[in-house]
Every structure is written in structure tokens, then in C-alpha cells.
Amino acid sequence: MGKKGKKEKKGRGAEKTAAKMEKKVSKRSRKEEEDLEALIAHFQTLDAKKTQIVETPCSPPSPRLNASLSAHPEKDELILFGGEYFNGQKMFLYNELYIYNIRKDTWTKVEIPSPPPRRCAHQAVVVPQGGGQLWIFGGEFASPDGEQFYHYKDLWVLHLATRTWEQVRSPGGPSGRSGHRMVAWKRQLILFGGFHESTRDYIYYNDVYAFDLDTFTWSKLSPSGTGPTPRSGCQMSVTPQGSIVIYGGYSKQRVKKDVDKGTQHSDMFLLKSEEGREGRWVWTRINPSGTKPTPRSGFSVAMAPNSQTLLFGGVCDEEEEESLEGDFLNDLYFYDATKNRWFAGQLKGPKAEKRKRRRGTKAEPEGANEQECGEASAQAPREVVREVVTEDGTVVTIKQMLTAPGPSKQPPPDEDDSPEEAGGPLVEPRPRSNAMLAVKHGRLYLFGGMFEAGERQVTLSDFYCLDLHKMDQWTVLVEADPETQEWLEETDSEDSDAAEGAEGGEEDEEDEDSSEEDQEPQHPLVTPGEQFADYLPRTEQYWVRLARDDAGSEAKEKRVLKVAHAMAKAFFDDSA
């Protein structure tokens, strides 16, 4: 009895400690969030100018991660909302809504009055009620420098049939957070975990909330049993038996001043509603058999056919006290709740006959053309010199090197290669974390995400499809070359001028003696189908920096901005 009482007392102590920590974080982050609320209000003022629904056919969405991709419950459509993009100096948050038509392979940007504020790392759940509804809770907004965060605790619903947003205000819901997980269970939304972060502090959650889709009311659940420790970014899915599975996730804790230690969880739990006892839930730890995923964070999850849960990619971090190295992944795993078993997803590859026929009819001519374009591009880049006059009469001279137009492809195989070697390895998405997944008609769709190359964060906008019944090979729907993506180095150091002059922000000693011609800057490339309205915000900081170098440090900011926009427009027009 004594031990039991001591254990219960210890449990209550842990709850008090967590409550104190949450209060501490809340107090410190309140000032930060007040600062960001003004910026959010500014963006909402701009959104308020939208008074009617506008649907515009468009090119695929720009690079992003931590958005949501959801399958329409009735139509052959996918719905992409929100997300983030970082170019090395500035953080961009989105509240754009895109619809992908699966049959037509087309994207449409849908602008709807009074949308949710810009955000990323939220959760989106689709339910079939009323012609289809997309429910969104929480997420975060960041300052332009990515150093301050605002965590939302709002709940929104997009009525898919009428294309209208509605904010649902109901007390008693979860606190502001991002990285949480949410699923539809019967006629409720069940939410678990997440985290809240300020500049100096953070807190992870393991609480559970339910939102009733009939009464529009929140309730906090208090499951019995031992559940998961606080975490974010876990897998949360509903089993065929009606239970909820939690797997993995990430959390960190402070081990000493300014030093945090992260944990990539690999444990698994079952949250089950007790029969005949409405509102009563119980946690149970489970140990599935089979080939389990290696420990990781930032993985993506979707529901596969036969009610199996699919897990893709992520990153395995190797942490030292002063550094963090990540091994990015692109593997697939499936969890079968009926058998309580994990198994690895292995691609079978295309049949040899089909590959041979494709090489004989289409691949060889296309390959020949690509080779010709590649050689022309490599041997004869086109130099263009233009003079652009801005609105105030300023004359700007732009010198740029343009390669021959054509899609970016892998180098063609050598003539000595055998036909089988020429076919190359199976096409698959590059390793990444924080990608967006959705499943429709037994096909898995994957969009975007990110990986790291040294100090550079590369955000993706490619789009893939995989038939989960055949498991033969990935199909590329949108190909994107991450090498063309801009990356702006930080310029707050004393040697920033030298860094700005070096290509890509990197300066090697052997380049010091190279000629000015070799140091010709490479402007951010225009992605296929990109509009200038999307290109300018993505690359504006680069052009401003270039214009400021040309105009001199004493030039007025307004003039620098005009010159920058003129240079960007000229380059965009020449690249079209």
C-alpha cells in the first residue's frame, strides 16, 4: 500500500511540474505572441479584401513543407492548405488553398473570403458530412526571421460543397500548439499531443481532446492506464476495430543551460474507448511484430487500403551537444492493426516487357532529344545583356547567362551501357522529411517536404504517385530540380560583403584568383509554369541585395526596391 501511495503522489507531482512549466512558457511567450498578432492581423486585413470566391487554374504549388494534403471524400480531388518555406533569410507562411484534379492532372488555386490565418504544422481532417468538410485545428505562425512563433488554438471548417470557410468558436479546447495529431473517430475529432515553443522555452503535450461534430463542443479526455509521454509529430490512426494507434514522435528536454537533448520515440500505444462506458478511454502499450521502422522524426502518415497505416520517410538525427546531423529517408512501412504487425513496403519494379517496349518506342527518342539539349546547353550558353528603365527613369543594365530551354533531366547513359543499364534504377522520391501525403482510390500521392544539404535547407515542390495495390514504381507527376532553388546566406557577419559576392554564399580559397567572368552570379531560376506573382515573393530578397550592390549603400530603400523588381521582371521575362 505504501508503494502504491508513493507512486500516486509522484504522479501528482509530475502533473504539477508540467502545469508549472506550461504556465512559465505561457508567460514568457505571451509578449512574443502579442508582437506576432499584429503581423497576423495585417495579413488578415489583406485577406478581408477578398469578397468573392475566385478559382484560377495554375501551375503546381511552390515549394513548401508542413502543409496538409487531404483527399476529398466524394470527388477525385486532393486539397492542399498552408505550409511554410524558408530561403535562408526569410520565413514565408501560407494560407493558400489548392485543389488538384486527379483525372485531369490539373491544379486550381481557390481564393475564398475570410480564410484562416497563414500557418504551418497544423492538422487537417476530412469528414463526409454536408458534402464534405475539411476541419483544421492549430498550427503555428513565425516571424519573418523564423525566431519567434505564434501557436494557434483556433478551429476552422471548410465546407467543400459551398467553398466557404467558417471559424468554429467553442470553449474548453486544447491550448495553442503545433505538431499535434488529429483523426476522425465516429462523429468526433480526437486530438493528441503537440508542442508550444517560445524563444527561450518549450513544452510538449500528451493530452487528449475530443470535439463533437454534432454539438460543436470540446471535451478533455482522461484515459486510464499508462499512455505515451509528451511528444509531437507522431503517427495517429484509427484501426478497423475502432481503436486509435499512436506511434513514435519527437520531443526534447533541456539537459543544461542552452543545451537540449532530443528523443525520437519508437514506442506504440493503443487508445481504446471502453465498451458501454461513454467518454471513458484506456491506454495500452503494444509491441507489434514484424519489420518496424527505424527511429526517426518528421515522417509522414496516410491511411492505406485495407485500413493499414502507411509511414513514409523522415529523418534520423544524430545529436551531439553542439551539432545535429540528419540522415534523411524515403522508405515505406505499413502497419496492419488487425495482425498488430509492421512490414516494409518493397517496390516490385515495372515488368521487363513493358520497360523494353517503352525503351523501344518512346524512351530512346526522348533520350536522344534530351542528350542534344543537354549538349547544347552545356556547350553554348546564351549571354543576354538588357537595359531596363524603371518607373522613375533609372536605367539598370542586366547581364545574365541563359541555357537552352528544356526540362532538367539526369545525364544520358553512355553508349557502352547495356539496354538494362540504360533503363536506370527505379524512379523514387528523394529522401525527405515533413512531406505531405494523401491516399485516393488506392493511390498514394506525395508532395513537397524538405532535406538538408550542409547548412542549406532545401524545400521541395515535386509531386509523386504510387499505386498501393501494384506497388510497382513511383510515377512523377511534377518534377522539380532543387538545385535551381534560391538560398540566401545570412549577412549579419562582418565578412558579409565577401559572402554576398561568392556564388551560392560559399567562397573557396581557390576561387580568389578567378576572373570576374567566372564570378558571374547565378540568378534564382524560374520553375516550370511559375507565374511572376509567385516568383517575385520567393526571390525578392535576392534581387534587393543585387540592386543594393549596384545602387550603392546610400541609395534610398524605395529606389532599391524599384530597381530590384525591375531586374526580377526582366529576368523572369527572358526566362519565360
Side-chain angles (χ1 to χ4, degrees), residues 44-98:
Q44 285 185 296
T45 300
L46 298 178
D47 289 332
K49 296 179 180 178
K50 303 173 184 176
T51 57
Q52 58 184 356
I53 301 171
V54 179
E55 300 187 16
T56 308
C58 63
S59 56
S62 59
R64 65 193 63 202
L65 67 149
N66 287 327
S68 58
L69 185 65
S70 310
H72 195 294
E74 297 180 355
K75 299 181 180 180
D76 292 334
E77 295 178 344
L78 303 180
I79 308 158
L80 181 71
F81 174 77
E84 63 176 289
Y85 170 77
F86 182 61
N87 68 0
Q89 289 185 1
K90 188 175 182 180
M91 178 74 74
F92 297 87
L93 279 297
Y94 305 111
N95 64 346
E96 300 166 325
L97 182 72
Y98 291 93

Side-chain angles (χ1 to χ4, degrees), residues 329-367:
L329 307 165
N330 64 346
D331 47 0
L332 278 170
Y333 287 89
F334 294 86
Y335 173 68
D336 189 328
T338 304
K339 299 178 181 178
N340 191 27
R341 182 181 181 87
W342 280 102
F343 59 94
Q346 300 291 342
L347 298 186
K348 301 172 184 176
K351 293 182 180 180
E353 295 178 354
K354 291 184 178 179
R355 293 179 68 182
K356 184 175 181 181
R357 183 169 64 250
R358 187 161 59 248
R359 285 198 300 270
T361 58
K362 293 184 179 180
E364 288 181 358
E366 287 181 4

Side-chain angles (χ1 to χ4, degrees), residues 192 206 226-236 244-251 263-270 283-288 292-296 299 311 335 340 342:
F192 168 80
N206 64 345
T226 303
T229 55
R231 63 192 65 191
S232 70
C234 62
Q235 167 193 314
M236 185 179 189
I244 295 174
V245 168
I246 299 291
Y247 166 77
Y250 177 84
S251 65
T263 300
Q264 297 174 125
H265 301 278
S266 58
D267 46 4
M268 202 161 185
F269 296 84
L270 198 66
W283 282 114
T284 305
R285 181 163 182 167
I286 57 177
N287 294 294
K292 303 174 185 177
T294 54
R296 64 191 67 194
F299 54 80
L311 183 151
Y335 173 68
N340 191 27
W342 280 102

Side-chain angles (χ1 to χ4, degrees), residues 361-378:
T361 58
K362 293 184 179 180
E364 288 181 358
E366 287 181 4
N369 291 336
E370 289 163 12
Q371 186 170 357
E372 291 174 4
C373 290
E375 291 175 353
S377 172

